[in-house]
Amino acid sequence: MNDVSLETIVSLCKRRGFIYQGSDIYGGLAGTWDYGPLGVQLKRNISSLWWKTFVEDRDDMYGIDAAILMNQKVWQASGHVSGFSDPLFACENCKNRFRADHLVETWIEKHPSELEQTEHPDYNQSAETLNEYKNLFKMACPSCGQSALSDVRQFNMMFQTHVGAIQDETSVSYLRPETAQGMFVNFKNVVDSFYPDLPFGMAQIGKAFRNEIAPRDFIFRVRELEQMEIEVFIEPAGWREQFDTWLELQKQYLLALGLPESRIHQVEIGPEDRAHYSEYSVDTEFDFPFGQKELLGCAYRTDYDLTKHQAASGKHLEYRPKNGDAPFIPHVIEPTFGLDRLVLAVISSSYVEDEVNGEKRTYLKLPIHLAPVKVAVSPLLKNKPELVAKAREVYALLKKEFGAVMWDDNGNIGKRYRRQDEIGTPYCVVIDFDTLEGATIDTVTVRNRDTTEQERVKLSDLISRLR
RNA sequence: GCGGGUGUCGUAUAGCGGUUAUUAUCCCAGUUUUCCAAACUGGUGACGGGAGUUCGACUCUCCCCACCCGCACCA
């Protein structure tokens, strides 16, 4: 388990400019968070490593960036319009809403004799049946006790909008609840352009939207999220082997982010809990400050999506093997990554408190390739123009080389170290009088975040020392 | 969505039916050869939002919003 509290992480993120409440000055908007200057850099470093690992370094992966708004037929075909919703009764009296199927099923369990005495249709989960049961047995609101329940209403998790000037059912569209469909609808395009051998994959990083009933746990469960998803198109035979390979690749990526292996748990999802498109799923869970929760998913989507889209669109979505075998619809393995959750995992697991000279010190033990600031450069004294000028030179040199370099001349040197520690800067470079003259001319102090040790480094060796 | 809790400078906090709204830290401008949050001087900055009660509300009441903890939900 992680011993740092979520509250501590939230406070640090706000104070140091990683993550702010969305729409902050208006009191916020539930389930939305804004990334500040350091947060966006950290997030970008995480997603860049992902893109490099899974797209650039492979020769069987095709990156895309599909539109968030899609033809509503996409979501009808994918099953999200009907399947991405729960049947609810709303109480006209107290305005509470309840899962209709749960309510009816619970009632049936508790009232077997009443059920026997009255003629009733066979139970199923259709809206029609749920309404009949509710009316026939005069079911009451579990909250206020009044028999004032509405007929079934669907609460869909998708945000709905209208495209164009006319707002009717033909102009309905949705903010995508997953990026995956952008890849399925482009499957034919990519095959036509590149004609890759199976197996090959499509990859995408982008926003997705879910109208969660209860956003929770900081950036863990949110209404606007960023996904990094891969659809791997395969021949169905031997799917399990490839599935396991991808599970392992997911784990390797987490280790490359510096996440401790002891906090990573891969858990098979039971049939009851799987998504409507999935025949087999394994979640990769992580020990967050609020417990072990889902970080990544991997699902065997079979040929569900392409088959649905082929039927609905009327377009051929089969893959035609180059050896002349019969065309078929490829099956799909989907490794999916929650980018915001990865940011939270990285920050919360790299949070360290220790003691330096008897005083508490807080630092983020970020891997150097993820740190939003690689190096901070300081003149020892900010009121000595010769030190400042030399420090500016060094700063310009490092900035050109590394980019993510920060100028810091605030307060005294100890304060700067502590401040850089808290945002996870691996190295601080300090220019002092010894840099300017004597036997130590053109050397600087390099201070290490994790050990707090300092060493004297020649300017000519500085870049290679920091790389 | 239900139940419980919380909401005061960026952060962490004190307080009261009438205050110049406390303290620390951060931040800003200075002084100081200042290498692990040194000291000193000066400065900016807050009662989540809206109604109501009251002569007067940060304080009491109601509604809303947000966050936290349980439950439910998580295609």
Side-chain angles (χ1 to χ4, degrees), chain A residues 196-210:
Chain A
D197 291 325
L198 293 185
F200 75 92
M202 293 174 67
Q204 175 166 222
I205 299 176
K207 294 270 191 163
F209 305 82
R210 299 174 184 189

Side-chain angles (χ1 to χ4, degrees), chain A residues 391-406:
Chain A
R392 280 285 177 193
E393 263 177 48
V394 175
Y395 171 71
L397 177 79
L398 296 179
K399 185 85 172 168
K400 193 175 172 194
E401 178 67 24
F402 297 109
V405 178
M406 184 183 278

Side-chain angles (χ1 to χ4, degrees), chain A residues 6 9 13 18-20 31-36 39-40 42-47 50 176-177 179 205-210 212 216-229 253-254 257 259 286 288-290 293-296 336-349:
Chain A
L6 183 61
I9 297 296
C13 283
F18 284 90
I19 298 164
Y20 308 113
T32 64
W33 299 89
D34 294 346
Y35 285 83
V40 71
L42 174 61
K43 184 168 75 151
R44 183 156 299 185
N45 293 344
I46 291 172
S47 62
W50 187 88
R176 63 183 179 196
T179 62
I205 299 176
K207 294 270 191 163
F209 305 82
R210 299 174 184 189
E212 295 282 354
R216 269 298 161 83
D217 299 322
F218 195 31
I219 55 172
F220 183 83
R221 176 168 293 114
V222 288
R223 294 199 166 116
E224 177 173 341
L225 56 135
E226 198 157 355
Q227 293 185 314
M228 305 190 291
E229 291 197 303
Y253 171 72
L254 296 184
L257 292 178
L259 297 181
F286 187 77
F288 286 98
F290 40 85
K293 297 282 180 65
E294 179 187 357
L295 177 58
L296 313 176
T336 175
F337 303 68
L339 181 50
D340 308 274
R341 290 179 177 188
L342 286 169
V343 171
L344 184 55
V346 166
I347 292 178
S348 59
S349 68

Side-chain angles (χ1 to χ4, degrees), chain A residues 251-271:
Chain A
K251 186 170 182 180
Q252 291 306 317
Y253 171 72
L254 296 184
L255 296 177
L257 292 178
L259 297 181
E261 189 165 13
S262 60
R263 290 184 183 173
I264 299 169
H265 315 279
Q266 292 188 323
V267 181
E268 187 179 331
I269 303 303

Side-chain angles (χ1 to χ4, degrees), chain A residues 7 19 36 39 48 58 66 148 187 202 282 288 331 340 359 439 448:
Chain A
E7 201 182 355
I19 298 164
S48 294
R58 299 179 64 104
F187 170 76
M202 293 174 67
V282 174
F288 286 98
H331 283 222
D340 308 274
E359 292 215 49
N448 182 296

Side-chain angles (χ1 to χ4, degrees), chain A residues 177-195:
Chain A
E178 61 172 19
T179 62
Q181 297 304 324
M183 295 184 266
F184 296 130
V185 301
N186 280 292
F187 170 76
K188 183 171 162 39
N189 287 333
V190 168
V191 169
D192 287 349
S193 298
F194 300 94
Y195 226 95

